[in-house]
Amino acid sequence: MKIQNASIIICSPGRNFVTLKIETDEGIHGLGDATLNGRELAVASYLSEHLIPCLIGRDPFQTEDIWQYLYRGAYWRRGPVTMAAIGAVDVALWDIKGKALNTPVYNLLGGKSRKGVLVYAHAHGATVEEAVDDVVRHIDLGYLAVRAQSGILGLESTYGVPKGLQSYEPAERGLPSESRWSSELYLRHTPKLFQKVREAVGENVHLLHDCHHRLTPIEAARLGKELEPFHLFWLEDPVPAELQDGFKLIREQTTTPIATGEVFNTIWDAHDLIQQQWIDYIRMSIVHGGGFTPLKKIADFAALYHVRTGCHGATDLSPVTMAAALHFGIAIHNFGIQEHMPHSAETDEVFRHQYRYEAGYMYPGNAPGLGVDIDEKLASKYPYQRAYLPINRKLDGTLTDW
Ligand code: KDG
Ligand code: MG
């Protein structure tokens, strides 16, 4: 079998997605997600200008060699644009491999290690009371794990909380909006939020929280300590993670489990975090981490250090990545949890998929390959629209991490 053609489909059914479709001379095609929120066209151009020409004529079964060819062969390695493009190619090739062998991708990754993939939902509210109600609503929907975020008194908006009544979607059309931030207000507020949530839901549900890279290590250590009585499943992205040993200080001060990695692209972003056991969950996504080929190796490396996976699964990762994460999560031994932020109805119509949610778990389905396809005609009705994530400033105007 040979790769005969590869094309890129850019569409915006509610939000932007970049999808790679690789076709073979045997009539089998595979899909890969190449979406990088706010930088979509850079990945599309990396694929069309630099990767696709090198793929034509190759054997799609050679996933390891093709991955090395694209990663090492470029000389210029790593970075989100490069790795999302390589990730899209790798995932599309595994999809083709599964279809050609008439088996779901999870069987190529080791087979099923569990009955389903434990997922966590997103709950939020403008106030603590609204956030508590939303956690309870998700538990009523059967979720066994819920992430809680709430608005903070004194701040107009914050990460994870929608501005109006629509579902939460951080990327906004047009140029980047600006939000204001105060770590002081956040640190005072968040333990009170979890006190109320725990009081309302009891101990039998997993609670999670995303700091979204906004604290310093000593601030994060304080938050981790103050959240200990509420037994979080994890505290996510407490600090910006360029400095891996920033996590050492947090780890030495608190038993609240730590998750990070949604913005990582290779093992070299997480090597020390894992080997030093400074984190409990590694959150790299299949797409931004460069595909199944490296993610499987990273998971196996993490397993040696008691680190489990918790792949990023926000709505800016397309249903192709969601399917990939579910095949991966059901197969690998050191799976921890999977993020589940449901896509809009328009997105689900464009990307028809076999995966489904039931009673706190998701299931990848048994279709050969990934079990996702794209309706290209429908996709063409939703043209790309420039959109950006917000930027964030402290109350005095200093630019800070969003
Ligand atoms: O594109 C950015 C989002 O994917 C990110 O803000 C979502 O932090 C996130 C999460 O945990 O889902
Ligand atoms: Mg996050």
Side-chain angles (χ1 to χ4, degrees), residues 120 122 147 149 159 209-213 234 236-237 259 261-263 283 312 314 339:
Y120 70 90
H122 282 207
R147 183 185 101 159
Q149 310 286 140
Y159 165 74
H209 180 69
D210 192 348
C211 259
H212 221 257
H213 328 264
W234 80 33
E236 176 182 334
D237 286 338
E262 66 183 43
V263 298
R283 276 185 45 73
H312 188 203
E339 182 175 14

Side-chain angles (χ1 to χ4, degrees), residues 1 5 14 19 23 27 69 83 94 111 118 125 138 156 178 202 207 243 253 262 363 378 383:
M1 191 169 13
N5 187 41
T19 308
E23 293 165 278
Y69 181 91
M83 298 311 291
W94 282 83
L118 176 71
H138 281 91
E156 224 170 81
E178 296 201 4
L207 296 176
L243 179 69
Q253 295 299 324
E262 66 183 43
Y363 300 87
L378 188 57

